[in-house]
Amino acid sequence: MTPPLARLHNVSRSYGTALALDRVSLDIGPGAVLGLLGPNGAGKSTLINLVCGLRRPTRGEVELFGGSPQDPRRRRALGMTPQQTGLPETLRVREVIDFVSRHYPDPLPAADLLERFGLIGLEKRQTGSLSGGQQRRLAVGLAFLGRPDLVLLDEPTTGLDVSARRAVWEGIRSYIGSGGTILLTSHYMEEMEALSERIVVLKHGRVVADGTPQEVTEAASRRSISFQADEVPELEGVVGRERRGDRQVLYTEDTDALVRELVRSGAPFTGLDVHRPSLEEAFLEIEAEAVSDDDPAGDPTPEPAAGTAEVSR
Ligand SMILES: Nc1ncnc2c1ncn2[C@@H]1O[C@H](COP(=O)(O)OP(=O)(O)OP(=O)(O)O)[C@@H](O)[C@H]1O
């Protein structure tokens, strides 16, 4: 089995009395985007800061490329854009790229970076004169300059307009296409679904779900059908029901089978809608679930789906 690029083993991190990460175990990579989801304060930035060696765990072990994240040789193969970055305002874009390039033995050509992150035409601009979105694209692009094996991106597209966000996605995809690995945090569910092969959900510093976007979604939220009808007969396969205005909502594991049952029953209905849950709904369900004190992984799922992957313990 290919060894992970980064590994957290039973890691906790406190700030004074505040517990930011609580017994987290996680293997990262290689070769995909791992999306780290969680409400504000869940511990995402703390986890990233541990992987890149900016912080040390209070308990447990963190490995980067099989060694210590504090070792500069390991960090050289790491790219990172933290949540907040400061660019030297009076330097031009090209000067910043050249300056960062000199830290690496085999950096990407500047032209490649400018192209990948939609920065062409801005080379001669002082970074202080760039718009917030342009500055962010440059900051994100710099993380890829040293041809890293692993890139940590903490909310890379916050504040970007739609086309700037797509430019960053394209940059990320082209890096993944060349075999790279990314640990990404974002509050945009659409972004998580578009980019991530694997989603890990943190809540109160614990891993509460881990799987493909589809697995996390299906495990956390129920499928349903809804329609207008005065009454609903007893139907096989219904695991819950509610009334929303004039609509009947029936929850089930198998919406196709339930629609067949409904039609077979002969009960009159109109306006049938089959609902597949989204990652956003799943996330809201997970957020609303209580995490028990003695279970490090918690249990995000009302009813875990078969095959729901690797809830880390
Ligand atoms: N330097 C610090 N000193 C004290 N508490 C901190 C520090 N850094 C983080 N925390 C606390 O640790 C917890 C986790 O914070 P962290 O920034 O890792 O969360 P996050 O998931 O990245 O949040 P967000 O989505 O808002 O960026 C929070 O309660 C936060 O207030």
Side-chain angles (χ1 to χ4, degrees):
M1 213 174 99
T2 327
L5 302 180
R7 166 173 279 170
L8 286 87
H9 180 65
N10 210 18
V11 166
S12 297
R13 167 71 207 203
S14 305
Y15 299 101
T17 54
L19 185 58
L21 279 185
D22 187 6
R23 295 164 283 170
V24 168
S25 292
L26 195 67
D27 285 359
I28 300 169
V33 178
L34 190 166
L36 196 56
L37 264 180
N40 291 136
K44 304 179 296 296
S45 299
T46 299
L47 192 152
I48 283 187
N49 288 336
L50 290 172
V51 171
C52 73
L54 274 177
R55 303 250 181 221
R56 292 170 194 268
T58 312
R59 266 181 25 203
E61 285 135 40
V62 182
E63 268 179 31
L64 179 66
F65 306 124
S68 163
Q70 267 76 38
D71 180 346
R73 286 169 306 171
R74 319 271 175 198
R75 288 197 200 178
R76 191 165 287 171
L78 185 72
M80 179 177 177
T81 307
Q83 215 172 78
Q84 273 152 1
T85 47
L87 296 163
E89 288 188 0
T90 53
L91 287 191
R92 299 179 194 284
V93 168
R94 181 59 199 253
E95 289 171 335
V96 172
I97 294 176
D98 290 344
F99 172 73
V100 175
S101 287
R102 282 192 205 110
H103 292 76
Y104 297 104
D106 179 28
L108 280 181
D112 275 21
L113 192 80
L114 293 164
E115 158 94 43
R116 280 191 196 186
F117 289 90
L119 294 165
I120 286 176
L122 300 175
E123 299 90 314
K124 294 193 177 140
R125 291 270 297 277
Q126 288 182 308
T127 64
S129 78
L130 298 176
S131 74
Q134 290 165 339
Q135 289 184 3
R136 189 66 183 154
R137 265 182 287 156
L138 174 59
V140 172
L142 292 174
F144 295 84
L145 202 51
R147 301 183 197 269
D149 294 325
L150 173 64
V151 176
L152 313 177
L153 299 177
D154 201 353
E155 298 187 29
T157 63
T158 297
L160 296 190
D161 66 26
V162 177
S163 66
R165 186 171 302 153
R166 301 274 161 171
V168 170
W169 289 12
E170 285 317 305
I172 288 176
R173 286 195 177 115
S174 103
Y175 166 74
I176 292 296
S178 63
T181 302
I182 291 182
L183 176 63
L184 168 80
T185 80
S186 172
H187 289 291
Y188 300 113
M189 298 297 152
E190 178 208 0
E191 178 161 294
M192 284 303 202
E193 278 183 307
L195 295 175
S196 311
E197 281 87 359
R198 177 181 168 199
I199 300 263
V200 169
V201 185
L202 278 182
K203 181 176 169 184
H204 301 317
R206 296 183 187 181
V207 174
V208 292
D210 185 347
T212 65
Q214 196 185 350
E215 286 167 343
V216 169
T217 302
E218 290 186 355
S221 18
R222 291 176 294 174
R223 294 156 182 259
S224 63
I225 67 170
S226 70
F227 48 85
Q228 281 147 335
D230 291 333
E231 286 184 20
V232 188
E234 286 302 318
L235 298 172
E236 204 173 307
V238 174
V239 296
R241 63 174 65 202
E242 63 180 290
R243 196 174 172 120
R244 275 191 218 143
D246 62 347
R247 294 187 73 77
Q248 308 278 355
V249 183
L250 304 183
Y251 294 97
T252 181
E253 298 291 323
D254 185 344
T255 48
D256 294 337
L258 186 56
V259 169
R260 283 197 293 273
E261 274 291 299
L262 177 65
V263 172
R264 210 175 291 138
S265 75
F269 67 89
T270 56
L272 178 69
D273 185 25
V274 176
H275 181 67
R276 289 178 70 85
S278 64
L279 182 62
E280 181 157 330
E281 286 170 286
F283 179 68
L284 290 171
E285 292 242 4
I286 290 170
E287 223 183 331
E289 283 271 317
V291 180
S292 80
D293 274 349
D294 50 358
D295 176 5
D299 178 9
T301 59
E303 226 165 283
T308 294
E310 314 162 34
V311 172
S312 296
R313 289 179 192 272

